[in-house]
Amino acid sequence: MKGKWINIYSSDLPLRSWWVDSINECEYISIVLPEVFGINNWIRNFSKKLAKKNISALALPLYGRTAPKMDLSYSEDDLKLGRHHKNLTTSKNIIQDVSAAINWVKEKYPRKKISIIGFCFGGHAALIASSLEGIETSFCFYGAGVTTPRSDTNFAPLDLLEKVSGKLNFICGSSDKLIPLKDRLEIKKKFRKVDPLEERFIYVEVKGADHGFMCEERESFNQDASSIGWNLLMKEFS
């Protein structure tokens, strides 16, 4: 299963994206939003893993304006650099760029259902983008800071829940210091308020898992937690 780099245009801005087309006919296309480390080796491999399960994947950069070819490892220096560019990203950028990806999918594959899968900062961005029309389901893996008002909007990503028309899954670990207990309780509270029957907004907390538990290349990788996350994805797309 081979992937390739393509450009998706957000207005006049080319977004260097990683596209892996499934060999077999599939119902879904997933827009994958990366960690602060950019479209690196793990994100590319994760996209290929999806495609092998008949889910075509489009990994979209979140730093198209400041670091369009961001591809980092997991060192402290790389984390610092990634966070620097994260802080330069706005909600408006996220909405504009994911909208461009949705339009690209709809134009080329009008019958496909669209999902968003985001990790780390990509999980934060996925919650923001889930408010867009045309998204069937979203997966926000350990998206931190979603309960805190953003400096560029003065409201929190969680405040967008009432605009979400599709299904929204938030998955995190109980040992994630970036998503403390206070935040986790707030997320669950807001989910129940907007969706009291828990039909569309699903909160999953994996006991003992730390931030980044899905990524095999991080020290915080947790095989059992990763399997739980992967199985949730496969159940949704089956």
Side-chain angles (χ1 to χ4, degrees):
M1 189 71 62
K2 291 185 177 181
K4 64 179 181 179
W5 293 106
I6 64 170
N7 280 332
I8 290 176
Y9 285 85
S10 180
S11 294
D12 294 331
L13 176 71
L15 298 173
R16 182 174 178 264
S17 306
W18 180 250
W19 170 242
V20 191
D21 200 353
S22 172
I23 294 176
N24 300 312
E25 184 65 22
C26 60
E27 186 178 15
Y28 276 93
I29 288 179
S30 285
I31 298 171
V32 180
L33 302 182
E35 305 166 299
V36 295
F37 309 98
I39 303 179
N40 61 5
N41 182 67
W42 183 73
I43 289 293
R44 296 194 299 272
N45 284 336
F46 178 83
S47 299
K48 291 179 182 178
K49 186 177 178 181
L50 284 175
K52 288 178 180 178
K53 293 295 184 179
N54 299 330
I55 306 152
S56 296
L58 176 69
L60 189 74
L62 293 172
Y63 305 150
R65 290 156 187 81
T66 61
K69 296 183 179 181
M70 178 72 81
D71 180 350
L72 302 176
S73 60
Y74 296 94
S75 69
E76 285 299 318
D77 286 343
D78 283 354
L79 175 60
K80 183 178 180 180
L81 179 59
R83 284 177 169 171
H84 167 74
H85 288 281
K86 172 184 76 72
N87 292 335
L88 299 175
T89 304
T90 67
S91 292
K92 183 179 179 180
N93 296 157
I94 293 168
I95 291 293
Q96 184 177 354
D97 294 351
V98 176
S99 294
I102 292 171
N103 291 337
W104 182 85
V105 171
K106 286 183 175 180
E107 181 179 345
K108 292 186 175 295
Y109 306 94
R111 297 182 180 179
K112 303 287 189 182
K113 294 180 179 179
I114 300 174
S115 70
I116 292 182
I117 306 172
F119 302 92
C120 183
F121 177 53
H124 178 107
L127 201 155
I128 294 172
S130 65
S131 63
L132 291 167
E133 293 183 4
I135 298 172
E136 187 82 11
T137 183
S138 301
F139 284 86
C140 307
F141 282 93
Y142 34 84
V146 299
T147 66
T148 304
R150 290 179 54 90
S151 60
D152 59 314
T153 61
N154 293 322
F155 59 81
L158 202 61
D159 294 333
L160 295 170
L161 287 185
E162 292 186 0
K163 295 184 178 181
V164 177
S165 58
K167 189 174 180 181
L168 174 62
N169 303 269
F170 191 95
I171 306 102
C172 63
S174 64
S175 297
D176 190 339
K177 293 181 178 62
L178 297 179
I179 312 176
L181 178 60
K182 179 183 176 182
D183 287 11
R184 302 200 303 271
L185 292 174
E186 181 67 17
I187 294 166
K188 287 192 286 187
K189 179 182 177 181
K190 286 286 184 68
F191 272 27
R192 285 195 298 267
K193 180 180 179 181
V194 181
D195 180 32
L197 297 180
E198 299 182 2
E199 295 175 331
R200 293 194 302 116
F201 293 172
I202 310 300
Y203 175 89
V204 177
E205 185 174 309
V206 185
K207 186 176 181 181
D210 201 349
H211 192 78
F213 64 78
M214 290 289 291
C215 178
E216 296 89 345
E217 297 183 17
R218 301 183 70 165
E219 291 183 4
S220 55
F221 173 67
N222 183 311
Q223 180 64 65
D224 292 338
S226 176
S227 295
I228 290 171
W230 180 254
N231 289 336
L232 287 169
L233 288 170
M234 293 302 100
K235 181 180 179 181
E236 186 69 29
F237 298 138
S238 62

